[in-house]
mmCIF file with all atom_site columns, all heavy atoms in Angstrom:
data_model
loop_
_atom_site.group_PDB
_atom_site.id
_atom_site.type_symbol
_atom_site.label_atom_id
_atom_site.label_alt_id
_atom_site.label_comp_id
_atom_site.label_asym_id
_atom_site.label_entity_id
_atom_site.label_seq_id
_atom_site.pdbx_PDB_ins_code
_atom_site.Cartn_x
_atom_site.Cartn_y
_atom_site.Cartn_z
_atom_site.occupancy
_atom_site.B_iso_or_equiv
_atom_site.pdbx_formal_charge
_atom_site.auth_seq_id
_atom_site.auth_comp_id
_atom_site.auth_asym_id
_atom_site.auth_atom_id
_atom_site.pdbx_PDB_model_num
ATOM 1  N N   . ALA A 1 611 ? 49.719 -27.941 8.230  1.00 0.00 ? 611 ALA A N   1
ATOM 2  C CA  . ALA A 1 611 ? 50.435 -29.213 8.152  1.00 0.00 ? 611 ALA A CA  1
ATOM 3  C C   . ALA A 1 611 ? 50.790 -29.687 9.576  1.00 0.00 ? 611 ALA A C   1
ATOM 4  O O   . ALA A 1 611 ? 50.714 -30.887 9.766  1.00 0.00 ? 611 ALA A O   1
ATOM 5  C CB  . ALA A 1 611 ? 51.711 -29.037 7.400  1.00 0.00 ? 611 ALA A CB  1
ATOM 6  N N   . SER A 1 612 ? 51.102 -28.807 10.526 1.00 0.00 ? 612 SER A N   1
ATOM 7  C CA  . SER A 1 612 ? 51.407 -29.195 11.972 1.00 0.00 ? 612 SER A CA  1
ATOM 8  C C   . SER A 1 612 ? 50.232 -29.795 12.582 1.00 0.00 ? 612 SER A C   1
ATOM 9  O O   . SER A 1 612 ? 50.274 -30.726 13.293 1.00 0.00 ? 612 SER A O   1
ATOM 10 C CB  . SER A 1 612 ? 51.901 -27.923 12.608 1.00 0.00 ? 612 SER A CB  1
ATOM 11 O OG  . SER A 1 612 ? 53.137 -27.298 12.086 1.00 0.00 ? 612 SER A OG  1
ATOM 12 N N   . TYR A 1 613 ? 49.010 -29.180 12.240 1.00 0.00 ? 613 TYR A N   1
ATOM 13 C CA  . TYR A 1 613 ? 47.816 -29.671 12.877 1.00 0.00 ? 613 TYR A CA  1
ATOM 14 C C   . TYR A 1 613 ? 47.576 -31.168 12.332 1.00 0.00 ? 613 TYR A C   1
ATOM 15 O O   . TYR A 1 613 ? 47.164 -32.025 13.109 1.00 0.00 ? 613 TYR A O   1
ATOM 16 C CB  . TYR A 1 613 ? 46.663 -28.647 12.531 1.00 0.00 ? 613 TYR A CB  1
ATOM 17 C CG  . TYR A 1 613 ? 45.317 -29.310 12.958 1.00 0.00 ? 613 TYR A CG  1
ATOM 18 C CD1 . TYR A 1 613 ? 44.960 -29.517 14.314 1.00 0.00 ? 613 TYR A CD1 1
ATOM 19 C CD2 . TYR A 1 613 ? 44.315 -29.439 11.958 1.00 0.00 ? 613 TYR A CD2 1
ATOM 20 C CE1 . TYR A 1 613 ? 43.715 -29.949 14.696 1.00 0.00 ? 613 TYR A CE1 1
ATOM 21 C CE2 . TYR A 1 613 ? 43.075 -29.825 12.433 1.00 0.00 ? 613 TYR A CE2 1
ATOM 22 C CZ  . TYR A 1 613 ? 42.733 -30.141 13.681 1.00 0.00 ? 613 TYR A CZ  1
ATOM 23 O OH  . TYR A 1 613 ? 41.569 -30.579 14.204 1.00 0.00 ? 613 TYR A OH  1
ATOM 24 N N   . ARG A 1 614 ? 47.622 -31.167 11.055 1.00 0.00 ? 614 ARG A N   1
ATOM 25 C CA  . ARG A 1 614 ? 47.387 -32.553 10.401 1.00 0.00 ? 614 ARG A CA  1
ATOM 26 C C   . ARG A 1 614 ? 48.532 -33.582 10.944 1.00 0.00 ? 614 ARG A C   1
ATOM 27 O O   . ARG A 1 614 ? 48.133 -34.790 11.091 1.00 0.00 ? 614 ARG A O   1
ATOM 28 C CB  . ARG A 1 614 ? 47.522 -32.441 8.859  1.00 0.00 ? 614 ARG A CB  1
ATOM 29 C CG  . ARG A 1 614 ? 46.289 -31.778 8.355  1.00 0.00 ? 614 ARG A CG  1
ATOM 30 C CD  . ARG A 1 614 ? 46.325 -31.835 6.759  1.00 0.00 ? 614 ARG A CD  1
ATOM 31 N NE  . ARG A 1 614 ? 47.347 -31.196 6.207  1.00 0.00 ? 614 ARG A NE  1
ATOM 32 C CZ  . ARG A 1 614 ? 47.349 -29.891 5.890  1.00 0.00 ? 614 ARG A CZ  1
ATOM 33 N NH1 . ARG A 1 614 ? 46.293 -29.039 6.118  1.00 0.00 ? 614 ARG A NH1 1
ATOM 34 N NH2 . ARG A 1 614 ? 48.394 -29.283 5.254  1.00 0.00 ? 614 ARG A NH2 1
ATOM 35 N N   . GLN A 1 615 ? 49.694 -33.196 11.149 1.00 0.00 ? 615 GLN A N   1
ATOM 36 C CA  . GLN A 1 615 ? 50.640 -34.115 11.574 1.00 0.00 ? 615 GLN A CA  1
ATOM 37 C C   . GLN A 1 615 ? 50.443 -34.704 12.988 1.00 0.00 ? 615 GLN A C   1
ATOM 38 O O   . GLN A 1 615 ? 50.670 -35.913 13.262 1.00 0.00 ? 615 GLN A O   1
ATOM 39 C CB  . GLN A 1 615 ? 52.038 -33.293 11.577 1.00 0.00 ? 615 GLN A CB  1
ATOM 40 C CG  . GLN A 1 615 ? 53.095 -34.232 11.916 1.00 0.00 ? 615 GLN A CG  1
ATOM 41 C CD  . GLN A 1 615 ? 54.595 -33.529 11.800 1.00 0.00 ? 615 GLN A CD  1
ATOM 42 O OE1 . GLN A 1 615 ? 54.602 -32.298 11.669 1.00 0.00 ? 615 GLN A OE1 1
ATOM 43 N NE2 . GLN A 1 615 ? 55.667 -34.209 11.955 1.00 0.00 ? 615 GLN A NE2 1
ATOM 44 N N   . ILE A 1 616 ? 49.858 -33.822 13.858 1.00 0.00 ? 616 ILE A N   1
ATOM 45 C CA  . ILE A 1 616 ? 49.608 -34.390 15.170 1.00 0.00 ? 616 ILE A CA  1
ATOM 46 C C   . ILE A 1 616 ? 48.376 -35.233 15.214 1.00 0.00 ? 616 ILE A C   1
ATOM 47 O O   . ILE A 1 616 ? 48.152 -36.161 16.054 1.00 0.00 ? 616 ILE A O   1
ATOM 48 C CB  . ILE A 1 616 ? 49.317 -33.154 16.231 1.00 0.00 ? 616 ILE A CB  1
ATOM 49 C CG1 . ILE A 1 616 ? 49.365 -33.679 17.594 1.00 0.00 ? 616 ILE A CG1 1
ATOM 50 C CG2 . ILE A 1 616 ? 48.015 -32.502 15.933 1.00 0.00 ? 616 ILE A CG2 1
ATOM 51 C CD1 . ILE A 1 616 ? 49.319 -32.482 18.627 1.00 0.00 ? 616 ILE A CD1 1
ATOM 52 N N   . LYS A 1 617 ? 47.398 -35.221 14.178 1.00 0.00 ? 617 LYS A N   1
ATOM 53 C CA  . LYS A 1 617 ? 46.270 -36.030 13.972 1.00 0.00 ? 617 LYS A CA  1
ATOM 54 C C   . LYS A 1 617 ? 46.521 -37.377 13.358 1.00 0.00 ? 617 LYS A C   1
ATOM 55 O O   . LYS A 1 617 ? 45.906 -38.270 13.639 1.00 0.00 ? 617 LYS A O   1
ATOM 56 C CB  . LYS A 1 617 ? 45.076 -35.302 13.277 1.00 0.00 ? 617 LYS A CB  1
ATOM 57 C CG  . LYS A 1 617 ? 44.545 -34.086 14.066 1.00 0.00 ? 617 LYS A CG  1
ATOM 58 C CD  . LYS A 1 617 ? 43.177 -33.736 13.483 1.00 0.00 ? 617 LYS A CD  1
ATOM 59 C CE  . LYS A 1 617 ? 43.196 -33.588 12.066 1.00 0.00 ? 617 LYS A CE  1
ATOM 60 N NZ  . LYS A 1 617 ? 41.933 -33.288 11.399 1.00 0.00 ? 617 LYS A NZ  1
ATOM 61 N N   . ASP A 1 618 ? 47.428 -37.266 12.423 1.00 0.00 ? 618 ASP A N   1
ATOM 62 C CA  . ASP A 1 618 ? 47.620 -38.461 11.540 1.00 0.00 ? 618 ASP A CA  1
ATOM 63 C C   . ASP A 1 618 ? 47.911 -39.772 12.194 1.00 0.00 ? 618 ASP A C   1
ATOM 64 O O   . ASP A 1 618 ? 47.281 -40.755 11.700 1.00 0.00 ? 618 ASP A O   1
ATOM 65 C CB  . ASP A 1 618 ? 48.864 -38.183 10.483 1.00 0.00 ? 618 ASP A CB  1
ATOM 66 C CG  . ASP A 1 618 ? 48.408 -37.277 9.377  1.00 0.00 ? 618 ASP A CG  1
ATOM 67 O OD1 . ASP A 1 618 ? 47.164 -37.072 9.258  1.00 0.00 ? 618 ASP A OD1 1
ATOM 68 O OD2 . ASP A 1 618 ? 49.167 -36.834 8.648  1.00 0.00 ? 618 ASP A OD2 1
ATOM 69 N N   . PRO A 1 619 ? 48.671 -39.852 13.227 1.00 0.00 ? 619 PRO A N   1
ATOM 70 C CA  . PRO A 1 619 ? 48.925 -41.172 13.809 1.00 0.00 ? 619 PRO A CA  1
ATOM 71 C C   . PRO A 1 619 ? 47.663 -41.791 14.358 1.00 0.00 ? 619 PRO A C   1
ATOM 72 O O   . PRO A 1 619 ? 47.467 -42.965 14.225 1.00 0.00 ? 619 PRO A O   1
ATOM 73 C CB  . PRO A 1 619 ? 49.894 -40.900 15.013 1.00 0.00 ? 619 PRO A CB  1
ATOM 74 C CG  . PRO A 1 619 ? 50.643 -39.685 14.502 1.00 0.00 ? 619 PRO A CG  1
ATOM 75 C CD  . PRO A 1 619 ? 49.654 -38.833 13.714 1.00 0.00 ? 619 PRO A CD  1
#
Side-chain angles (χ1 to χ4, degrees):
S612 299
Y613 173 61
R614 291 189 293 273
Q615 187 176 5
I616 198 174
K617 292 196 311 177
D618 278 351

